[in-house]
């Protein structure tokens, strides 16, 4: 997924909520990140676009809080607790994730499989186009003979 800095980003996202694990004074999330606007995007093994300076999940601790919540290696983090993560430094991303006051981290992430699923759902064969168009046309014609909204006396 690529984007132009300063322009709106359209992405298919998944909400993931991670309950931090308390180990003494530390709160553990169970994952590592890479990327940021201050990092070299060519080094990012998860992005097809080698100009993408997003924040990516680079490691997941098996059976840790992030793993249990459904976070996956290679996920791109779009938001952390409502904060935009598309144009932040690596250090700013780390600080947003590791705030001591927050026991829960709410993420919006995107991943290639989400983007692919949407792309596939939009694609269909051309032979079905005619059937769909004819069906839509006949439904429209049927609707022309129905009373306008609010005048139908039937109960639903």
């Amino acid at each position: 997924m690529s984007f132009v800095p300063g322009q709106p980003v359209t992405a298919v996202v998944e909400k993931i909520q991670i309950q931090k694990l308390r180990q003494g004074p530390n709160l553990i999330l169970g994952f590592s990140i890479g990327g940021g606007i201050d990092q070299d995007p060519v080094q990012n093994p998860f992005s097809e676009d080698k100009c993408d300076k997003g924040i990516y999940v680079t490691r997941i601790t098996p059976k840790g809080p992030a793993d249990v919540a459904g976070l996956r290696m290679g996920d791109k983090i779009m938001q952390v607790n409502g904060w935009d993560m598309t144009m932040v430094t690596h250090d700013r991303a780390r600080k947003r994730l590791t705030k001591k006051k927050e026991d829960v981290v709410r993420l919006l992430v995107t991943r290639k499989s989400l983007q692919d699923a949407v792309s596939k759902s939009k694609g269909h064969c051309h032979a079905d186009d005619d059937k769909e168009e004819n069906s839509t046309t006949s439904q429209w014609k049927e609707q022309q003979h129905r009373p306008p909204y609010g005048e139908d006396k039937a109960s639903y």
Side-chain angles (χ1 to χ4, degrees), residues 33-95:
I33 59 168
I37 60 173
D38 57 338
Q39 305 296 309
D40 180 4
V42 175
Q43 302 298 318
N44 182 348
F46 301 107
S47 175
E48 293 173 2
D49 177 357
K50 293 304 176 185
C51 295
D52 184 351
K53 293 186 173 197
I55 302 295
Y56 283 83
V57 176
T58 58
R59 186 184 61 80
I60 300 279
T61 302
K63 298 182 183 172
D67 189 24
V68 170
L71 195 64
R72 297 184 193 164
M73 205 163 80
D75 282 354
K76 182 175 182 178
I77 300 173
M78 305 299 284
Q79 279 187 10
V80 172
N81 293 335
W83 292 96
D84 177 40
M85 299 294 281
T86 60
M87 294 294 291
V88 296
T89 64
H90 183 86
D91 191 52
R92 171 60 61 199
R94 182 189 56 76
K95 287 177 180 175

Side-chain angles (χ1 to χ4, degrees), residues 17 45 53 69 84 92 96 101 103 107 126 133 143:
Q17 183 170 301
K53 293 186 173 197
D84 177 40
R92 171 60 61 199
R96 292 262 187 246
K101 305 182 277 187
D103 289 340
L107 304 176
H126 297 291
E133 184 174 309
Q143 289 175 352

Side-chain angles (χ1 to χ4, degrees), residues 103-115:
D103 289 340
V104 175
V105 173
R106 290 172 185 82
L107 304 176
L108 286 183
V109 302
T110 189
R111 60 179 65 116
K112 186 166 175 24
S113 62
L114 292 172
Q115 300 289 350

